[in-house]
Amino acid sequence: MSAAADVSSRGAEAAPRWRPLGQADADWLRERAAPALRAWQDEWFDAGAFDVLDAQAFAPGQACADGGACWRAGASLAAQTEPGAWKRHALAAMALSAQADAQVPEALLAPLQAQMLDALLARLADALADSASGARAGFERTLPGDGAGFAAGGVRLRIGTARDPQLLDLYCAAELAWTRPLSAAPAAKPAAPAARAEALGDNPVRLSAVLGRCRLTALQLSELAVGDVLTTAQSLHEPIALRLHADGVAPRTIAHGRPGRAQQRLSIELTTLQQKRTP
């Protein structure tokens, strides 16, 4: 084979499939990342409030912003965060409040924060990189600005909470968005809404009864042993709060009651119901 023919064949194989990115591409990548984020939340938190807060296309050649810690997964994904911003969430993963900050040594929190980030990045890589051509690569730590730009541009997914809206920026190469199925078929007409009873059906909900609360330091928590007695601030005659747990929001008190017994089982008799929220 001649040199000219060889160059021609390699050029044909490497020819990229290019098109400009739009909001539909950004929204599609956002939808792919959301289940991975929810699964990560379920693994680390009782009730998480993390979400993909923003999805925007960025220009070709754009690199990660200056500052913060950076990771790279092959040629298709990059991530950037400020590790210190995760300290409060590491405390939450340990079921401790931010007020316990002073009692928890940094040597204990730093490895936990690293584990949380590694687990999140691994789930995001599995969710997003499986649509790219070639073998998937895990995230590796890089220096800021070290090859973080994407020649064809891409989409930035901003992950955070209402209180911390910029915990993690995930940069997805345009090649990931180009795998989005394109269809010219008109959108299907939405079905008529179902009746309330039919829509609710047998969907389970999670309730918890708060019998009492107490405050412990991290040292006291670590020294608990079988037989220890924890004293709560709640009187035996005070009503028990019944709380509703829903994905993505903090638990909400919906009723109060008193303890009892029904058919040889512990029970709660409702005494008051919270007023329903109005839109």
Side-chain angles (χ1 to χ4, degrees):
M1 179 183 294
S2 66
D6 182 52
V7 171
S8 176
S9 62
R10 284 188 286 109
E13 294 173 359
R17 171 195 173 197
W18 189 92
R19 63 174 173 81
L21 298 180
Q23 191 57 45
D25 299 301
D27 292 341
W28 183 71
L29 287 174
R30 182 182 197 164
E31 291 173 1
R32 291 180 64 86
L37 181 59
R38 288 194 296 268
W40 172 80
Q41 284 191 101
D42 292 341
E43 180 184 358
W44 287 90
F45 302 97
D46 288 336
F50 292 83
D51 198 2
V52 183
L53 301 178
D54 187 49
Q56 296 290 333
F58 59 82
Q62 179 177 324
C64 298
D66 295 333
C70 298
W71 287 264
R72 184 84 181 198
S76 60
L77 290 170
Q80 184 177 33
T81 187
E82 180 58 53
W86 290 83
K87 189 172 185 178
R88 186 166 59 85
H89 300 286
L91 287 168
M94 297 172 66
L96 298 174
S97 68
Q99 297 176 356
D101 190 350
Q103 285 80 26
V104 181
E106 187 65 28
L108 179 63
L109 278 180
L112 181 61
Q113 293 178 76
Q115 292 174 22
M116 291 172 61
L117 281 171
D118 288 344
L120 175 57
L121 292 173
R123 286 191 177 274
L124 291 172
D126 287 342
L128 295 169
D130 60 357
S131 60
S133 58
R136 285 183 292 174
F139 277 94
E140 295 181 357
R141 188 74 175 265
T142 63
L143 296 175
D146 184 14
F150 295 104
V155 171
R156 185 205 67 200
L157 302 179
R158 177 151 287 171
I159 295 173
T161 67
R163 183 172 176 180
D164 298 310
Q166 291 183 256
L167 280 173
L168 179 72
D169 280 343
L170 184 68
Y171 295 85
C172 310
E175 288 80 359
L176 295 179
W178 290 343
T179 62
R180 177 174 69 90
L182 302 178
S183 174
K189 184 178 180 180
R196 182 177 181 181
E198 181 183 350
L200 293 176
D202 296 326
N203 294 325
V205 295
R206 186 159 59 96
L207 301 175
S208 63
V210 182
L211 302 179
R213 295 178 180 275
C214 66
R215 288 181 177 273
L216 298 175
T217 66
L219 179 60
Q220 290 172 326
L221 181 65
S222 66
E223 293 179 345
L224 286 179
V226 176
D228 288 350
V229 177
L230 299 179
T231 303
T232 70
Q234 183 160 326
S235 167
L236 290 175
H237 304 289
E238 290 183 29
I240 295 173
L242 192 67
R243 312 192 76 188
L244 172 67
H245 298 260
D247 293 339
V249 297
R252 180 167 65 92
T253 300
I254 61 169
H256 290 85
R258 56 187 173 216
R261 184 182 296 274
Q263 297 181 355
Q264 303 303 314
R265 294 194 179 189
L266 295 177
S267 65
I268 296 177
E269 180 184 1
L270 299 184
T271 55
T272 61
L273 292 174
Q274 297 291 104
Q275 292 293 329
K276 294 183 179 178
R277 294 182 175 180
T278 56

